[in-house]
Amino acid sequence: MKDKIIVVTGASSGIGWATAEVFSQHGAKLILCGRRKEKLELLASKLKTKSLLLTYDVRDRRAVFEALENLPKEWENVDVLINNAGNAHGFDPVQTASLEDWDAMIDGNVKGLMYVTKALLPQMIKAKKGHIINLGSIAGKEVYPNGSVYCSSKFAVDAFTQGLRLDLNKDGIKVGAIHPGLVKTEFSKVRFKGDGDRANKVYAGIEALSAQDVANVILYMVQVPSCVNVADLVLLPTRQANAYVSNRKS
Ligand code: 8X3
């Protein structure tokens, strides 16, 4: 892992932040991507290894390509891309959901992830090596009420991951996805537009995964031998059976 170059999108919080920390602890150099410069600077100040900060919004196609196609020489040989940026916005039935929420999810979770991937592919193909790990969700494996567009976005991540693996098979590039269930981050607070009480109820009695739990499994996906690819991995809290069934402590 030492001196490998790892790109993490959505590094300014949650799973992205924890992933950057875990990889840095193992000696990797990090390209930290996010929208909030101060947060990235704070993260970089805590890391043990060198980092490069790139501030852009994955929804902004031009900004994505400008940032990632012009990496400084020292940083251009990217070993691993961790496509983490993404969020849920709103929790509503199709009839009443906000179109702004839909755009945010489709543009960020789907198109943003695709742009970032495409921007980094030429270098990986040239090097005949690389590893792309997409953050899916159990919402990309099963659909639940009020989640139609968030679930659509994560189903798209799953489909894109599979397609990318097919297209890059001849180039020696690994492609895989990790699909977490409940992870205790700001995720639900963002989904519920800042309503902390509502967000806390989602995690009540369930011993949700932590961002570090997910980060450690991503590290494992990268550490397996080069002839092994963890292609599709669902990660749940022990108390959660699927998106619908959980054994909550009362
Ligand atoms: C997050 C997991 O179950 O809230 O992607 O959709 S869930």
Side-chain angles (χ1 to χ4, degrees), residues 34-190:
R35 282 173 300 169
R36 293 168 287 179
K37 191 158 182 264
E38 330 74 63
K39 291 270 186 178
L40 294 180
E41 284 170 350
L42 181 64
L43 172 58
S45 74
K46 292 175 185 293
L47 297 183
K48 296 189 180 336
T49 50
K50 264 180 128 173
S51 56
L52 172 72
L53 313 190
L54 298 178
T55 312
Y56 63 88
D57 185 335
V58 295
R59 292 175 292 185
D60 182 341
R61 190 198 320 182
R62 185 182 301 186
V64 169
F65 282 89
E66 260 175 30
L68 296 173
E69 284 185 332
N70 299 300
L71 292 172
K73 201 136 200 66
E74 183 197 348
W75 291 94
E76 67 187 8
N77 292 318
V78 169
D79 295 288
V80 183
L81 163 61
I82 299 167
N83 267 319
N84 162 73
N87 256 318
H89 299 280
F91 190 72
D92 304 288
V94 169
Q95 307 87 298
T96 55
S98 131
L99 292 176
E100 282 69 35
D101 285 345
W102 286 7
D103 284 346
M105 291 186 280
I106 298 297
D107 291 350
N109 303 3
V110 184
K111 290 162 72 182
L113 180 147
M114 292 172 174
Y115 296 154
V116 170
T117 304
K118 195 159 170 62
L120 287 172
L121 277 185
Q123 166 267 318
M124 285 189 180
I125 290 170
K126 199 166 142 214
K128 289 266 173 219
K129 72 175 172 68
H131 192 173
I132 298 164
I133 298 177
N134 293 331
L135 265 290
S137 167
I138 53 164
K141 298 290 184 183
E142 51 188 338
V143 181
Y144 48 79
N146 299 320
S148 59
V149 174
Y150 178 67
C151 294
S152 297
S153 76
K154 292 299 185 176
F155 269 72
V157 170
D158 195 12
F160 184 65
T161 304
Q162 294 180 45
L164 195 60
R165 189 162 52 244
L166 293 169
D167 291 349
L168 296 177
N169 182 250
K170 63 182 181 315
D171 295 300
I173 297 168
K174 288 194 205 188
V175 181
I178 178 167
H179 303 275
L182 279 176
V183 187
K184 185 113 175 50
T185 60
E186 293 288 288
F187 175 86
S188 292
K189 207 163 167 197
V190 174

